[in-house]
Amino acid sequence: MLNEQTMEKLIAMKLNGMADAFKEQLEQPDIHELSFEERFGLLVDRHWIWKEDRRMKRLLRNAKLKINACIEDIDYKVPRAIDRSVVLRLASCQWIQSTQNIIITGPTGVGKTYLSCAFANKACREGFAVLYRRAPRLFQEIAIARADGSYTKLMNKFAKVKLLIIDDFGLAPLSDPERRELLEVIEDRQGLSSTIIVSQVPIGNWHESIGDPTIADAILDRLIHNAHKFDLEGDSMRKRIMARGR
């Protein structure tokens, strides 16, 4: 009866990991060979792992990544100009601690989104809050927020997330409201958080995509000077997969 009450109290206090470990200990006949300190340490370790696992799953769920990608699964065999040593160095996520950015450019289908989501996945596993948005969706959300009065709340959300991914940047020239909103998003994050920009458009053509030279200079100055750059090349990975499937 006492053990059942202990289990109920652990669950009521949301110590589910500890409750599971306690239940398992009760079912192990040789557990009493361990000291109290050793048994208690096992309970604490189990709850810590349970809590961290829940946190990681929550961060991944909130990130809304387009692809379930992992750093460990990146394919280096296909020549795409991905430097493995650079990827592994960035996998430590020190660049996020240092509020640096990543810019990934290259033709369609070469794996830009996968690479960005792989970095984001590792960031979540390291405990950083991440948010993925395609550029058209980002601007749509901001426009809706301006109309319904939630603009400040949304912009604070974009400002506070530790890693923001903006995918498909530059697919179409930005309108005047869009380039001004992008500047606000980037300005709010400068020196506080990190951003990954994914684009088919080479960095040298971003001025043309943004439109206004003054705003373009302001945006690029805040993004590029401390950014790690990946300029991917090669054939579409999707075409390769389709060819193998025939």
Short mmCIF file of all heavy atoms in Angstrom, two decimals, residues 71 74 76 82-92 115 119 230:
data_model
loop_
_atom_site.label_atom_id
_atom_site.label_comp_id
_atom_site.label_asym_id
_atom_site.label_seq_id
_atom_site.Cartn_x
_atom_site.Cartn_y
_atom_site.Cartn_z
N ILE A 71 21.79 15.59 -38.65
CA ILE A 71 23.18 15.83 -39.03
C ILE A 71 23.87 14.51 -39.37
O ILE A 71 24.63 14.40 -40.34
CB ILE A 71 23.95 16.54 -37.89
CG1 ILE A 71 23.48 17.99 -37.75
CG2 ILE A 71 25.45 16.47 -38.12
CD1 ILE A 71 23.96 18.93 -38.80
N ILE A 74 23.37 13.07 -43.08
CA ILE A 74 23.74 13.83 -44.28
C ILE A 74 24.60 12.97 -45.20
O ILE A 74 25.55 12.32 -44.76
CB ILE A 74 24.48 15.13 -43.91
CG1 ILE A 74 23.53 16.07 -43.16
CG2 ILE A 74 25.03 15.82 -45.16
CD1 ILE A 74 24.21 17.33 -42.64
N TYR A 76 27.35 12.61 -47.79
CA TYR A 76 28.50 13.33 -48.32
C TYR A 76 29.05 12.66 -49.58
O TYR A 76 29.99 13.18 -50.19
CB TYR A 76 29.60 13.41 -47.26
CG TYR A 76 29.20 14.14 -46.01
CD1 TYR A 76 28.81 13.45 -44.87
CD2 TYR A 76 29.21 15.54 -45.96
CE1 TYR A 76 28.44 14.11 -43.71
CE2 TYR A 76 28.84 16.21 -44.81
CZ TYR A 76 28.45 15.49 -43.68
OH TYR A 76 28.09 16.16 -42.54
N ILE A 82 29.39 20.21 -49.94
CA ILE A 82 29.15 20.27 -48.51
C ILE A 82 30.42 19.81 -47.80
O ILE A 82 30.84 18.66 -47.94
CB ILE A 82 27.97 19.38 -48.09
CG1 ILE A 82 26.68 19.82 -48.77
CG2 ILE A 82 27.79 19.42 -46.57
CD1 ILE A 82 25.47 18.95 -48.42
N ASP A 83 31.04 20.71 -47.08
CA ASP A 83 32.28 20.40 -46.37
C ASP A 83 31.92 19.69 -45.05
O ASP A 83 31.35 20.31 -44.15
CB ASP A 83 33.05 21.69 -46.08
CG ASP A 83 34.45 21.42 -45.55
OD1 ASP A 83 34.62 20.45 -44.79
OD2 ASP A 83 35.37 22.19 -45.88
N ARG A 84 32.27 18.42 -44.97
CA ARG A 84 31.91 17.63 -43.79
C ARG A 84 32.50 18.20 -42.51
O ARG A 84 31.84 18.22 -41.46
CB ARG A 84 32.37 16.18 -43.98
CG ARG A 84 31.96 15.26 -42.86
CD ARG A 84 32.25 13.82 -43.22
NE ARG A 84 31.69 12.89 -42.26
CZ ARG A 84 31.59 11.59 -42.45
NH1 ARG A 84 32.00 11.06 -43.60
NH2 ARG A 84 31.08 10.81 -41.52
N SER A 85 33.73 18.67 -42.58
CA SER A 85 34.38 19.21 -41.38
C SER A 85 33.65 20.45 -40.87
O SER A 85 33.53 20.66 -39.66
CB SER A 85 35.85 19.54 -41.68
OG SER A 85 35.96 20.57 -42.65
N VAL A 86 33.14 21.26 -41.78
CA VAL A 86 32.40 22.46 -41.38
C VAL A 86 31.08 22.07 -40.74
O VAL A 86 30.68 22.61 -39.70
CB VAL A 86 32.16 23.38 -42.60
CG1 VAL A 86 31.25 24.55 -42.20
CG2 VAL A 86 33.48 23.90 -43.15
N VAL A 87 30.39 21.10 -41.34
CA VAL A 87 29.11 20.64 -40.79
C VAL A 87 29.32 20.08 -39.38
O VAL A 87 28.55 20.41 -38.45
CB VAL A 87 28.48 19.56 -41.69
CG1 VAL A 87 27.28 18.92 -40.99
CG2 VAL A 87 28.06 20.16 -43.02
N LEU A 88 30.33 19.26 -39.20
CA LEU A 88 30.58 18.66 -37.88
C LEU A 88 30.96 19.72 -36.86
O LEU A 88 30.61 19.60 -35.68
CB LEU A 88 31.68 17.60 -38.00
CG LEU A 88 31.32 16.38 -38.85
CD1 LEU A 88 32.49 15.40 -38.90
CD2 LEU A 88 30.08 15.68 -38.29
N ARG A 89 31.68 20.74 -37.30
CA ARG A 89 32.02 21.83 -36.37
C ARG A 89 30.78 22.60 -35.96
O ARG A 89 30.61 22.94 -34.78
CB ARG A 89 33.05 22.75 -37.04
CG ARG A 89 33.41 23.98 -36.20
CD ARG A 89 34.69 24.63 -36.72
NE ARG A 89 34.65 24.86 -38.15
CZ ARG A 89 34.08 25.93 -38.71
NH1 ARG A 89 33.48 26.84 -37.96
NH2 ARG A 89 34.11 26.09 -40.02
N LEU A 90 29.90 22.85 -36.91
CA LEU A 90 28.67 23.57 -36.60
C LEU A 90 27.70 22.73 -35.78
O LEU A 90 26.82 23.26 -35.11
CB LEU A 90 28.00 24.04 -37.89
CG LEU A 90 28.76 25.08 -38.71
CD1 LEU A 90 28.04 25.37 -40.02
CD2 LEU A 90 28.94 26.37 -37.91
N ALA A 91 27.86 21.41 -35.83
CA ALA A 91 26.97 20.52 -35.08
C ALA A 91 27.07 20.72 -33.57
O ALA A 91 26.17 20.33 -32.83
CB ALA A 91 27.28 19.05 -35.43
N SER A 92 28.13 21.37 -33.12
CA SER A 92 28.27 21.66 -31.69
C SER A 92 27.28 22.73 -31.24
O SER A 92 27.05 22.91 -30.04
CB SER A 92 29.69 22.12 -31.37
OG SER A 92 29.93 23.41 -31.94
N LEU A 115 19.52 20.24 -45.28
CA LEU A 115 20.66 20.68 -44.49
C LEU A 115 20.22 21.65 -43.40
O LEU A 115 20.66 21.55 -42.25
CB LEU A 115 21.70 21.34 -45.40
CG LEU A 115 23.00 21.79 -44.75
CD1 LEU A 115 23.73 20.61 -44.10
CD2 LEU A 115 23.92 22.47 -45.77
N PHE A 119 20.48 21.02 -39.23
CA PHE A 119 21.04 21.93 -38.23
C PHE A 119 19.99 22.27 -37.17
O PHE A 119 20.30 22.36 -35.97
CB PHE A 119 21.54 23.21 -38.89
CG PHE A 119 22.84 23.08 -39.62
CD1 PHE A 119 22.97 23.46 -40.95
CD2 PHE A 119 23.96 22.56 -38.98
CE1 PHE A 119 24.18 23.34 -41.62
CE2 PHE A 119 25.18 22.43 -39.64
CZ PHE A 119 25.29 22.82 -40.97
N PHE A 230 26.96 28.16 -47.16
CA PHE A 230 26.99 26.92 -47.93
C PHE A 230 26.41 27.22 -49.30
O PHE A 230 25.24 27.57 -49.41
CB PHE A 230 26.16 25.82 -47.27
CG PHE A 230 26.72 25.31 -45.97
CD1 PHE A 230 26.45 25.95 -44.78
CD2 PHE A 230 27.53 24.17 -45.95
CE1 PHE A 230 26.96 25.47 -43.58
CE2 PHE A 230 28.05 23.69 -44.77
CZ PHE A 230 27.75 24.34 -43.57
#
